[in-house]
């Protein structure tokens, strides 16, 4: 389900910004961007998002903007620097003709230089809190969209029930017209049919054209859709399955139809089902 949230928080370390975007996806897929200062939160951020969302493609971005020029002294991680120098020496041993090493390249390596006077714990804690606030805002927007989609799907279900009732109402008339048409064709042939045999043939023919089962299944599937919409559980996959079942019954109804109005009703049903399917693609 689509959604967007953006939150900011200011502190002595600067300004934290969290942006979340989601679109529909079959599974939960998280694309995460973190600055070097917050890189250690990668696992915690993913776990927090997983606890709040079940499906969707999520783009999560956390930024940290400094409040101004730092007045703190800089500190070098000597252990990391020594390890880098050792690795460079190994490369030089294997590839002697390399260009001279620029010390600035070593200093640019993530984590070699850090602010000696900044305590990272408050920043990390604030970032996680900001993420939780953003997820709450995101779910609020998704909930509002879900309510709108639910209203649209409910109205489509009502329209489907109307079409089902149209077909049910016409069934007795269709059966009678079918009987009259067969009797008329036989009389045009100048043949006097055996009444008992005629009744047997009419019963068999009517059975092939009977759509009562399709009507019952359509009604049952629509009731199931309504039940799923009223449930608090994720509904996207189940609704998608129900759309397949509704479409199957509508196709069967269309293939059995011996009446223009029934055919139109079946076509209208398939149009409504496709409209519902498009909306369901945005449902978690």
């Amino acid at each position: 389900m689509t959604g967007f949230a953006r939150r900011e928080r200011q502190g002595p370390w600067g300004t934290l910004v969290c942006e979340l975007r989601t679109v529909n996806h079959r599974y939960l897929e998280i694309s995460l961007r973190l600055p070097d200062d917050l890189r250690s939160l990668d696992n915690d951020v993913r776990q927090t998002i997983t606890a709040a969302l079940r499906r969707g493609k999520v783009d999560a971005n956390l930024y940290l903007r400094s409040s101004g020029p730092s007045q703190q002294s800089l500190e070098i991680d000597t252990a990391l620097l020594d390890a880098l120098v050792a690795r460079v020496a190994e490369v030089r041993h294997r590839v002697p003709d390399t260009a001279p090493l620029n010390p600035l390249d070593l200093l640019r390596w993530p984590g070699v230089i850090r602010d000696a006077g900044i305590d990272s714990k408050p920043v990390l804690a604030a970032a996680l809190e900001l993420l939780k606030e953003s997820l709450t805002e995101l779910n609020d927007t998704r909930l509002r969209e879900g309510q709108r989609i639910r209203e649209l799907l409910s109205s489509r279900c009502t329209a489907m029930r109307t079409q089902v009732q149209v077909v049910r109402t016409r069934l007795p008339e269709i059966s009678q017209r079918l009987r009259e048409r067969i009797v008329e064709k036989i009389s045009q042939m100048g043949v006097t049919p055996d009444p008992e045999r005629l009744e047997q043939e009419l019963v068999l023919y009517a059975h092939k054209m009977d759509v009562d089962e399709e009507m019952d299944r359509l009604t049952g599937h629509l009731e199931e859709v309504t039940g799923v919409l009223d449930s608090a559980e994720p509904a996207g996959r189940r609704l998608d399955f129900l759309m397949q079942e509704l479409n199957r019954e509508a196709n069967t109804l269309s293939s059995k139809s011996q009446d223009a109005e029934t055919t139109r009703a079946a076509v209208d049903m398939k149009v409504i089902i496709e409209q519902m399917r498009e909306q369901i693609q945005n449902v978690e």
Side-chain angles (χ1 to χ4, degrees):
M1 186 174 294
T2 58
F4 175 78
R6 187 180 191 277
R7 286 293 181 98
E8 292 187 7
R9 175 174 293 188
Q10 294 183 342
W13 18 259
T15 302
L16 276 169
V17 180
C18 180
E19 288 186 356
L20 299 174
R21 292 182 177 84
T22 62
V23 294
N24 187 58
H25 194 63
R26 190 173 183 181
Y27 305 105
L28 179 62
E29 179 181 321
I30 302 173
S31 176
L32 179 60
R33 293 181 182 177
L34 294 173
D36 291 337
D37 294 331
L38 305 179
R39 190 68 62 187
S40 61
L41 288 178
D42 187 289
N43 188 54
D44 291 334
V45 169
R46 292 181 184 276
Q47 290 182 357
T48 302
I49 294 175
T50 301
L53 306 174
R54 300 190 183 185
R55 288 180 62 191
K57 186 175 182 180
V58 184
D59 287 326
N61 300 316
L62 274 168
Y63 307 100
L64 177 59
R65 295 199 298 260
S66 176
S67 57
S70 175
Q71 301 298 320
Q72 305 292 336
S73 61
L74 297 179
E75 181 179 276
I76 294 178
D77 187 332
T78 54
L80 177 57
L81 182 60
D82 290 342
L84 286 173
V85 171
R87 300 290 83 79
V88 171
E90 291 180 8
V91 173
R92 284 188 176 281
H93 178 72
R94 294 175 180 271
V95 189
D97 297 331
T98 56
L101 178 65
N102 188 341
L104 289 178
D105 293 334
L106 291 175
L107 295 178
R108 292 192 186 101
W109 190 270
V112 171
I113 295 181
R114 58 176 179 264
D115 288 331
I118 294 181
D119 184 1
S120 62
K121 291 183 179 179
V123 183
L124 299 180
L128 283 178
E129 287 300 318
L130 187 64
L131 173 63
K132 293 175 182 178
E133 292 175 6
S134 300
L135 285 168
T136 299
E137 180 182 340
L138 178 69
N139 278 328
D140 288 342
T141 62
R142 285 156 57 94
L143 177 61
R144 289 192 295 270
E145 183 187 2
Q147 291 171 342
R148 180 185 63 82
I149 293 176
R150 182 188 182 283
E151 293 173 359
L152 291 173
L153 293 177
S154 295
S155 67
R156 298 295 189 275
C157 286
T158 300
M160 279 283 292
R161 292 190 183 94
T162 299
Q163 296 301 325
V164 170
Q165 188 58 39
V166 167
V167 176
R168 284 192 185 278
T169 302
R170 290 195 59 78
L171 289 180
E173 181 182 346
I174 293 171
S175 179
Q176 181 61 30
R177 287 176 58 189
L178 176 63
R179 179 186 183 88
E180 294 173 354
R181 188 163 61 247
I182 293 176
V183 171
E184 182 182 354
K185 286 184 178 181
I186 293 176
S187 64
Q188 289 174 354
M189 298 171 62
V191 178
T192 302
D194 176 32
E196 184 176 348
R197 178 62 184 276
L198 176 61
E199 289 300 325
Q200 291 176 353
E201 293 298 327
L202 285 171
V203 169
L204 290 174
Y205 197 69
H207 180 71
K208 291 180 180 179
M209 300 297 105
D210 181 57
V211 294
D212 278 338
E213 290 186 10
E214 284 74 17
M215 295 297 96
D216 290 341
R217 283 195 288 266
L218 282 168
T219 300
H221 292 330
L222 289 171
E223 291 176 354
E224 181 69 15
V225 170
T226 301
V228 172
L229 291 176
D230 291 336
S231 173
E233 296 298 317
R237 293 180 183 176
R238 187 165 185 81
L239 287 174
D240 189 57
F241 170 76
L242 288 170
M243 292 306 106
Q244 297 177 31
E245 296 301 305
L246 285 170
N247 195 60
R248 181 179 294 112
E249 301 305 330
N251 284 331
T252 304
L253 174 63
S254 179
S255 65
K256 286 186 175 183
S257 175
Q258 295 293 311
D259 174 69
E261 189 165 343
T262 300
T263 301
R264 283 195 294 270
V267 171
D268 289 341
M269 288 180 189
K270 288 191 281 189
V271 171
I272 294 171
I273 293 167
E274 186 59 30
Q275 292 172 345
M276 295 173 72
R277 193 196 299 273
E278 291 176 359
Q279 293 295 333
I280 287 170
Q281 299 308 308
N282 294 319
V283 175
E284 180 176 304

